[in-house]
């Protein structure tokens, strides 16, 4: 439920990817992207994660994959 309400101060995936990249400079993979709800919300969540990965890559992070968990 936390990912659905996003109170102020909650760090998003793009920010977390940037932090991990800046700290470790190792390749990153986002795995098991899943949200237990209806299909519409699952697709929206996957799309948000995909956009975060793309943005992190544009900013120089070496994000190599995004996988889903069904």
């Amino acid at each position: 439920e936390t990912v659905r309400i996003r109170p102020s101060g909650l760090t998003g995936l793009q920010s977390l990817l940037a932090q991990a990249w800046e700290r470790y400079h190792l390749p990153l993979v986002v795995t098991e992207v899943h949200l237990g709800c209806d299909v519409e919300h699952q697709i929206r969540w996957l799309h948000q994660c995909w956009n975060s990965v793309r943005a992190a890559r544009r900013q120089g992070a070496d994000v190599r994959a995004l996988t889903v968990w069904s």
Side-chain angles (χ1 to χ4, degrees):
E1 293 300 315
T2 302
V3 297
R4 294 187 195 138
I5 56 176
R6 188 176 180 159
S8 66
L10 185 65
T11 302
L13 178 59
Q14 183 177 344
S15 177
L16 292 172
L17 289 169
Q19 289 175 31
W21 176 250
E22 289 300 316
R23 178 175 287 175
Y24 301 110
H25 288 279
L26 293 171
L28 302 168
V29 175
V30 179
T31 63
E32 298 185 8
V33 173
H34 173 75
L35 185 61
C37 58
D38 62 69
V39 173
E40 181 178 321
H41 285 94
Q42 290 173 352
I43 292 169
R44 184 177 305 127
W45 176 245
L46 178 58
H47 187 257
Q48 290 172 355
C49 292
W50 176 253
N51 286 336
S52 294
V53 165
R54 292 179 64 210
R57 290 183 69 168
R58 281 193 304 271
Q59 294 174 351
D62 184 7
V63 184
R64 299 201 178 173
L66 179 139
T67 64
V68 296
W69 178 61
S70 59

